[in-house]
Structure formats: structure tokens, C-alpha cells
Amino acid sequence: MNHHLLLVARRCSSRSLVSSGQSFALAVRTLRTTPVVSSTLSTMAPKRKRGAAALVDEVDTVVVAATGSALVSSPEEAKALIRRTSTRKKMKVVYTEEVQDADEAEQDDAFDGPLTDLDDAPAEEKLPKKRKRRTKTQEPVVYDIPPVETKITNFKGRLGYACLNTVLRAMKPEPVFCSRTCRIDTINKPDFGMDYCKELGRKNAEDLSRLIQWNEDNGIKFLRMSSEMFPFASHEKYGYTLEYAEKELKAAGDLAKKYGHRLTTHPGQFTQLGSLREAVVDAAIRDLDYHCQMFRLMGLGKDSVMIIHMGGMFGDKPATIERFKEVYRTRLTDEIRERLVLENDEMCYNADDLLPVCEELDIPLVFDYHHNWIYPSEKPLPELIERINAIWHRKGIKPKQHLSEPCPGAETVMEKRKHSDRCKSLPEDLPEDMDLMIEAKDKEQAVFHLYRVYNLHPVIHENLRPEKPPKPFPRATEDNADGENGEGEVSATPRKRKTRAKARKTEQEADEIAEVLNIGVAEEPKDLEDTAEPNTSAPVSPKKKAKQKTPRKSAKKRVVVAVEVDTSVELQQIVVAGLESDGMAQDHGYAVGQDSKDDIEVDGILAN
């Protein structure tokens, strides 16, 4: 009862029904003196959520039992009474982050795994991080450098190598070398073009400065520049000038002059001024002008020379020399003539052939010891070198010579021409003050080897490399000339083996023909043995008849000459010359079969 009474009072206090203290006290007294209807009380609870108007009507009909006088006389006292005597607990809801119960947390912990922390991490931390590549720490390779046997020499000049440095070329990831090139097909592609070709030349010029600096650090002051530094620069169609790389060339030239290095070039074997073809001579002149342009942009002096060979003989050595003289006098510029020098070769022109030409035209001569060993001069070496050095001194250029050695085991001339990996010693008649170019496969390692042998200059041990064992020359043996030798190595290429087999077959046929001419009797060849003739009378099944193939007619018809014991000279002439008609054999009294007029078969031996 009290609960419902207080509920009605609370609702009335918040509406117009209890707007004043007088009306509020009257309402309370009315509620306390009015009997309560049980049906009304049973319907009060479900109607708590109805509207305000419905609640006012319900108040008028509510009857409660009288329990005494009024308890409150003002709205404030009524509100205080309600707060003091209300049995309902107001729940204050505070919205916070969801907190799990202890039991649920324990259950979740039971399923935790290695990836739980990653799932609970914020979204920003779950983003995959860029994996850094681990750089492998490579330990420096330690080479086993064997000791050398020291020797004594009076040589005081500079030793150099040609074009390529093996240590710098093997550097990673960016090797250093000066011979990057391309093909004409690459130039014609739209994605590359001449810009790509020129960029290769510019990169070669940049690496030339690095190469010179490395040589200075290792005590090498003589270098032959690569003729392929600027690809196709002297080409008739794709040629170009070198002004675009003037900065790189000048930097390399200034560095060489700063350290006192000598740089030279050696144009290729196609640079032949004595050729019969005018196009070859024009290309040679363009190539020489290209090399002069490099030296000019580098600012190098006259010690930077261009070495060429006289070239081929073209069937007439004196005529070729005269053509060379004519081109040298009339078609070469003064700049080219100042830098051009000749070198003796091992096949066509030795020092005796070139020395008169060099003395006449005042052209310095580079003496090559290896070429002179293959194609020697008739003059004594001291006399020859003295005359050669006189031309160098007359032009004010320091003398220059070439040194190389053949590969071990070389026997033929072609095998002797191949250069070995290193030179074992210096020549005995070597002048003291001159520059010596070491033409060897190991390049700077060959120079280091001579430095160690003769104590010419200290070397950096980290830059030394061991010498590789020489490869033997492949040769065919008499027992196994067509295939492989006893060690299982191929003795010759398939083309060479086929050529040799064909030559041996020809020699064998010639021997058999000579034997027939000598004794008049020849063995019956295997391909002419009697064979059983097929029985045409026997019945043949249709299947077998279909499988039978008609014999091919020989492409070559034969003239069969029956030789008895006569071995006259006339018959020999007939066989060697090859009869073309049966009438020629019949005129000489020999029986001729009417099979062919192209070849002769003498008792089974075919002679072409």
C-alpha cells in the first residue's frame, strides 16, 4: 500500500496535479481517506509506461485506506520523503570498454598461441614491414702465390700491359674496363640507337681514369688503350665525333700526365694502308683519324703513338710496299704521320722488310721479339736495334718494344703465334732506357711476375693472382686420328676429322689406281660382288609385290675399260685424264662398255 501511495505521490508531484502546496496536501488527504479497490491495484503495475493523461485519470479512481493525518505539507517534503522511503534502486549505466569476466579471460588464455600477440596488436602494427636484404659478408679470398726465382737485369724502363685489367674486370657489382661495345643491329633498334652507343663510349672513357689510378697505385706506368673505347666511331655510316666525351677524355689525359704515364694504341689488323681495295684504305684512314682524335682531346704528347702492321702481301710484296708509301705521303694528315709507327710481324714482313721503309719515310719501328723469333731477321739483333732506336731518337720519341712468348708445347707456326699467359724472362739484348709492352694473356699479372723476378718494383700481395696451368695443344695420333686420343680428349673438330678422312680416302683410291697401272690387275671391289638374281618366274603375293622397291638408276654412268696385261703409257694417260667418250678408248684399242661417258672404271676401280 505504501509503495503504491508513494508512486502516485511521486508522479503527481511532477505534474500540474500538485502544482501548489494546498492542492498537494488535499490530494494526499484524499488518497489516505479513500478505500482501495483491489482491481485497480492489480492493474497499476502493467500501466506504468502509459501516457501522462492516462495516469491522471487513474489517480482520480485510486482509493486507498485511511491511515491518519497528512504526512507532508509541501512539495519539497514530498520529494524528500520519496528519496528516503523509495525501495527502488536507480542504476547508473556508464558506457566503458568491454571487460571480460575472470572466467572468460581464463578460457581465452587457454587458446593463446604464438600468433595471439599479432592478432591483439593495433591495425597499424599489423602492416607488413619491408624486409631488408641481408648482405652476405664475404671473406676475402686468399690466393696461394708461389715464390719465384729471382734474376738480375739492367733494364730501367717501364713495363706495361694491353687494354684490360683482370683484377678490375672481375670486380662486382660494377666491373671496370674500357671495351664496352655493341652491334649495328642494336644501334638500329628504336629503344637503343646512337645514344646508347655513345653512352658506352662515355662510360669507357670514365673507367679509363679509374684504370690509370689503379696502375699508379700498383707501380705500372705504361698502358695500351683499347681501340674499342668508342664503338663504331670510325664507321662510314654510323661514325661520330668525340666532342661529347671531351670532359671524360680530358680527365683521363690530365691524370696520365700528372703521374707520368705513357698511353698508346694499336689499331686492328684491318687497318691496312697498302691494300688493293680503295674502300679498305679509306676505312684505315678513318680509323687512324679516330685514334688521333682521342689523343688530341686527352692532350697527350707525341709519345702516344699508334702501332700498325704493313698487312698482307696481296701476291706481290714490293708492290704492296710501294702502295703503302704512296698513301703515307699523299693521303695521311700531318697529325697521323706524327703518331704512326710500324711493327714487324711473324708472317709477311719481318724487320729486314720494314727497316728500309721506316728509314726512308722516317717512321719509327716497334721491334717485336716474339715475331722476330718466328720470322727472324738476317741482321744481328744488336745492329738491328741500334738502327731502329736511331729513328725513334731522330723524331724525339722514346723507343718502344713488344715482348711475348709462345705457349708451352707449341710446334707448328700457327701454334707458336699464340701468346702465353706470362713471360718468364726479359730479352738479353734489351736496351736499358725504353718502354716494353708485355703482350701476355694475364695482362697486369704478367707485369707483376716480372717485377718479382727482377725486383723492378714492389707489388701489393692482395692484387697477385696465381698462374693457371697451360692447356696442351690438341693433336691427332696415327692410331686414332678420327676420334679421341688415348686420354679421352677430342683431338680435332668434327670438320677437321671429316676433311682428314676424305683426304685419306682420296689417297687410298690413288694408290689403288697406281697399283692397277703397274701390274694390270685389281681386286674386285665389294660393291661389285655377284649377287643372286631374283627368280621372276616364282609367284609373288600382292603384299610382297607392293613392298618391293625398284632399284634406283645410278646418277653417274660408267665407262668400263677391260684391261688385260697391257700397261702402256697411253692407257695411263687415259686413266689420269678421265675419258669423256667411249670413242677415245676405242681409238686406243680398248673395249669400252656403253654405260657412261663421264667416268672410267678400270677393272672395278673408278677414276674420275
Side-chain angles (χ1 to χ4, degrees):
M1 291 293 291
N2 293 336
H3 171 72
H4 292 286
L5 179 61
L6 295 174
L7 178 62
V8 172
R10 185 190 308 114
R11 291 182 179 179
C12 293
S13 63
S14 59
R15 290 174 174 84
S16 58
L17 182 63
V18 287
S19 57
S20 61
Q22 185 178 0
S23 60
F24 178 79
L26 178 62
V28 171
R29 284 194 299 269
T30 304
L31 289 174
R32 295 182 61 85
T33 58
T34 306
V36 179
V37 183
S38 61
S39 60
T40 305
L41 294 175
S42 62
T43 58
M44 283 294 293
K47 295 181 181 179
R48 293 176 182 176
K49 296 182 180 180
R50 294 183 182 182
L55 292 175
V56 173
D57 296 338
E58 291 180 358
V59 171
D60 295 338
T61 60
V62 172
V63 180
V64 294
T67 56
S69 59
L71 299 177
V72 294
S73 59
S74 65
E76 288 75 7
E77 294 180 357
K79 291 181 179 180
L81 178 64
I82 292 172
R83 287 196 298 269
R84 184 173 64 252
T85 61
S86 177
T87 60
R88 296 182 62 187
K89 295 182 180 180
K90 296 182 179 180
M91 296 180 63
K92 185 177 182 181
V93 180
V94 179
Y95 294 95
T96 59
E97 295 182 3
E98 183 179 358
V99 180
Q100 294 180 340
D101 296 338
D103 297 338
E104 296 179 357
E106 291 179 358
Q107 293 178 0
D108 292 343
D109 293 341
F111 295 98
D112 286 348
L115 301 180
T116 305
D117 296 338
L118 296 178
D119 296 337
D120 297 339
E124 297 180 355
E125 297 181 0
K126 291 183 180 180
L127 294 177
K129 296 182 180 180
K130 293 183 178 180
R131 301 177 64 181
K132 296 182 179 180
R133 178 177 293 182
R134 295 181 180 179
T135 57
K136 297 182 179 180
T137 56
Q138 296 182 355
E139 297 181 358
V141 181
V142 179
Y143 296 96
D144 184 13
I145 307 300
V148 296
E149 182 181 356
T150 59
K151 300 178 183 179
I152 300 176
T153 183
N154 296 326
F155 178 72
K156 300 178 182 178
R158 294 175 289 193
L159 297 182
Y161 63 96
C163 306
L164 182 69
N165 186 296
T166 61
V167 176
L168 296 180
R169 184 65 178 86
M171 289 181 59
K172 294 181 180 181
E174 294 184 2
V176 177
F177 63 107
C178 305
S179 56
R180 297 174 182 84
T181 186
C182 62
R183 300 186 302 173
I184 292 180
D185 182 61
T186 305
I187 297 177
N188 293 329
K189 292 180 180 179
D191 295 338
F192 294 91
M194 287 303 304
D195 293 337
Y196 173 76
C197 181
K198 290 183 177 181
E199 179 61 22
L200 293 178
R202 190 192 63 81
K203 183 63 176 176
N204 290 336
E206 284 184 354
D207 282 357
L208 180 60
S209 298
R210 300 185 180 96
L211 188 57
I212 294 173
Q213 183 62 51
W214 191 94
N215 288 345
E216 173 64 21
D217 298 338
N218 290 269
I220 301 176
K221 296 181 177 294
F222 188 21
L223 175 67
R224 176 190 297 172
M225 295 167 49
S226 174
S227 296
E228 300 179 354
M229 280 191 59
F230 295 91
F232 300 102
S234 62
H235 195 272
E236 182 180 7
K237 180 180 178 180
Y238 301 98
Y240 51 90
T241 59
L242 309 182
E243 281 79 8
Y244 78 98
E246 182 178 1
K247 176 182 177 181
E248 291 78 10
L249 289 174
K250 187 177 183 302
D254 293 343
L255 195 63
K257 291 186 293 184
K258 173 184 176 181
Y259 295 140
H261 291 197
R262 183 178 186 179
L263 305 180
T264 61
T265 58
H266 195 329
Q269 69 273 21
F270 303 107
T271 307
Q272 300 190 21
L273 299 177
S275 175
L276 292 170
R277 299 173 55 190
E278 191 68 20
V280 176
V281 177
D282 294 341
I285 295 175
R286 290 197 306 269
D287 195 39
L288 295 175
D289 183 71
Y290 149 69
H291 286 82
C292 284
Q293 189 179 2
M294 274 198 305
F295 289 143
R296 187 189 323 124
L297 294 176
M298 295 176 70
L300 301 179
K302 53 185 178 180
D303 280 349
S304 297
V305 295
M306 305 178 297
I307 304 100
I308 66 171
H309 294 282
M310 181 66 73
M313 295 185 294
F314 306 102
D316 192 349
K317 182 184 291 187
T320 304
I321 293 176
E322 292 301 323
R323 288 194 299 270
F324 174 85
K325 292 179 181 179
E326 181 66 20
V327 172
Y328 182 84
R329 291 191 182 100
T330 59
R331 301 189 60 182
L332 299 185
T333 62
D334 294 339
E335 184 181 13
I336 296 177
R337 285 197 293 265
E338 287 296 324
R339 296 187 183 274
L340 186 64
V341 298
L342 289 174
E343 178 189 356
N344 62 305
D345 62 74
E346 73 279 21
M347 300 298 292
C348 300
Y349 300 90
N350 62 358
D352 294 342
D353 298 327
L354 297 181
L355 187 57
V357 180
C358 292
E359 291 177 341
E360 178 183 353
L361 301 178
D362 205 20
I363 302 175
L365 177 61
V366 174
F367 183 76
D368 191 299
Y369 288 92
H370 182 209
H371 295 168
N372 187 74
W373 175 70
I374 298 175
Y375 188 10
S377 171
E378 296 180 358
K379 298 179 178 61
L381 199 57
E383 177 185 350
L384 191 63
I385 293 179
E386 183 179 358
R387 292 177 59 182
I388 291 174
N389 289 343
I391 306 175
W392 289 94
H393 295 152
R394 188 161 55 247
K395 295 198 69 171
I397 305 175
K398 190 171 185 178
K400 175 182 183 293
Q401 294 181 1
H402 292 173
L403 177 64
S404 58
E405 294 180 2
C407 293
E411 295 180 359
T412 64
V413 175
M414 298 304 295
E415 292 175 352
K416 293 178 180 178
R417 295 179 64 188
K418 185 180 179 180
H419 293 171
S420 62
D421 293 341
R422 302 184 184 186
C423 296
K424 304 303 180 183
S425 59
L426 296 176
E428 297 179 357
D429 299 325
L430 186 66
E432 294 184 4
D433 190 14
M434 50 89 61
D435 294 333
L436 186 63
M437 176 62 64
I438 307 300
E439 295 181 325
K441 299 296 183 181
D442 280 350
K443 304 299 181 180
E444 82 289 341
Q445 299 299 321
V447 176
F448 290 156
H449 179 76
L450 293 176
Y451 278 180
R452 298 174 63 205
V453 171
Y454 292 96
N455 293 321
L456 297 176
H457 195 279
V459 297
I460 301 175
H461 187 79
E462 288 75 11
N463 292 332
L464 296 180
R465 300 293 182 268
E467 184 178 5
K468 298 179 181 179
K471 297 181 180 180
F473 289 96
R475 293 188 181 89
T477 59
E478 295 181 359
D479 298 336
N480 195 5
D482 293 335
E484 300 179 353
N485 54 26
E487 299 178 357
E489 298 178 358
V490 178
S491 58
T493 60
R495 180 178 295 180
K496 290 183 179 180
R497 291 197 296 270
K498 185 177 180 181
T499 304
R500 293 170 184 173
K502 186 176 181 180
R504 285 193 299 275
K505 184 177 180 181
T506 305
E507 293 176 0
Q508 184 179 1
E509 292 177 354
D511 294 340
E512 292 178 354
I513 295 175
E515 184 179 357
V516 171
L517 296 177
N518 290 331
I519 63 176
V521 179
E523 295 181 358
E524 189 174 2
K526 295 180 180 180
D527 57 349
L528 296 181
E529 291 180 355
D530 296 334
T531 57
E533 296 181 359
N535 187 5
T536 57
S537 61
V540 181
S541 63
K543 293 183 179 180
K544 292 184 178 180
K545 189 175 182 180
K547 291 182 180 179
Q548 290 180 354
K549 297 181 180 179
T550 57
R552 292 185 178 180
K553 293 184 179 180
S554 177
K556 289 187 178 181
K557 297 181 181 179
R558 296 177 178 178
V559 179
V560 180
V561 180
V563 181
E564 298 178 356
V565 188
D566 190 354
T567 57
S568 61
V569 178
E570 296 179 353
L571 176 61
Q572 298 178 16
Q573 295 176 354
I574 292 173
V575 176
V576 173
L579 294 180
E580 296 181 358
S581 64
D582 54 351
M584 294 178 61
Q586 291 176 356
D587 293 341
H588 291 78
Y590 301 109
V592 180
Q594 193 65 29
D595 291 339
S596 175
K597 297 181 181 181
D598 298 330
D599 299 331
I600 299 175
E601 187 173 352
V602 182
D603 281 353
I605 302 300
L606 184 65
N608 293 327

